[in-house]
């Protein structure tokens, strides 16, 4: 309108509004890929026992790789069947059930695969002096098995995303999912709703009454 001389004031500033940040929702790792990866790990070797226990812990509990790296013996309550940690990222305390499969895998590694070390950390490198693993080492271990199966590279965090999506799609409340994943607020958890395609279909509006009229039937939309 300013360029056409219809108004004296340039009102373009009215449309200079901050746009909401677009959050890219990544698809979770398919369950069949996770199963194939776990099934490919040779649990007869010390390294295989360690890798299986670490990855299974991530699959079942949704713990971040940094928290798996920092797991200490004191964090596992074998009597009450719980994993209790203070999350490295948020500092928030988190208590998760120690499921039977995770407990057996971790116990198998500790008793028959873990190097002889006085370290307080559970998961150690296989070579002397057996320090605790780095986060990048866990990432590399994870992708080593994916590459062996011809699967594309992805982050260990994608296991956490797979768990969150699975919980939401099976009807678990967003509040409960936030508690399981240790989120500080629900905004971090709501992203998984976007991946719940089946339930989203149920809230879609029908198009009845919005269809354009045929030519000659009067005013259409």
């Amino acid at each position: 309108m300013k360029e056409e001389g219809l108004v004296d004031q340039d009102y373009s500033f009215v449309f200079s509004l901050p746009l909401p940040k677009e959050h890219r929702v990544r698809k979770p790792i398919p369950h069949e890929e996770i199963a194939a990866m776990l099934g490919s790990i040779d649990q007869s070797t010390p390294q295989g026992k360690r890798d299986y226990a670490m990855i299974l812990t991530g699959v079942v509990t949704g713990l971040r790789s940094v928290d798996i790296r920092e797991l200490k013996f004191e964090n596992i309550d074998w009597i009450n069947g719980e994993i209790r940690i203070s999350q490295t990222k948020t500092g928030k305390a988190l208590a998760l059930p120690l499921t039977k499969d995770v407990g057996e895998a971790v116990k198998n590694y500790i008793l028959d695969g873990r190097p002889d070390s006085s370290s307080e950390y559970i998961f150690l490198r296989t070579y002397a002096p057996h320090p605790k693993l780095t986060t990048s080492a866990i990432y590399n271990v994870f992708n080593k098995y994916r590459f062996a199966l011809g699967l594309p590279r992805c982050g260990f965090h994608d296991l956490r995303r797979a768990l969150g999506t699975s919980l939401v799609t099976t009807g678990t409340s967003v509040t409960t999912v936030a508690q399981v994943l240790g989120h500080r607020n629900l905004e971090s958890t709501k992203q998984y709703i976007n991946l719940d395609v089946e339930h989203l279909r149920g809230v879609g509006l029908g198009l009845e009454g919005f269809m354009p009229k045929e030519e000659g039937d009067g005013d259409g939309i």
Side-chain angles (χ1 to χ4, degrees), residues 130-177:
H130 310 298
K132 69 176 181 180
L133 291 170
T134 63
T135 304
S136 60
I138 296 178
Y139 169 84
N140 291 331
V141 165
F142 176 63
N143 277 288
K144 177 184 72 173
Y145 294 105
R146 289 186 61 82
F147 293 159
L149 293 171
L151 299 173
R153 181 189 304 273
C154 68
F156 194 88
H157 194 85
D158 288 329
L159 293 178
R160 180 176 171 84
R161 183 173 292 106
L163 175 63
T165 304
S166 178
L167 290 173
V168 169
T169 54
T170 53
T172 306
S173 70
V174 175
T175 302
T176 301
V177 176

Side-chain angles (χ1 to χ4, degrees), residues 6 31 38 47 52 63-64 97 120 124 134 144 164 167 171 177 186 203-204:
L6 299 176
H31 291 295
L38 288 171
Q47 184 173 338
Y52 182 81
L63 284 177
R64 300 178 179 90
E120 60 186 338
L124 305 178
T134 63
K144 177 184 72 173
L167 290 173
V177 176
L186 291 180
V203 298

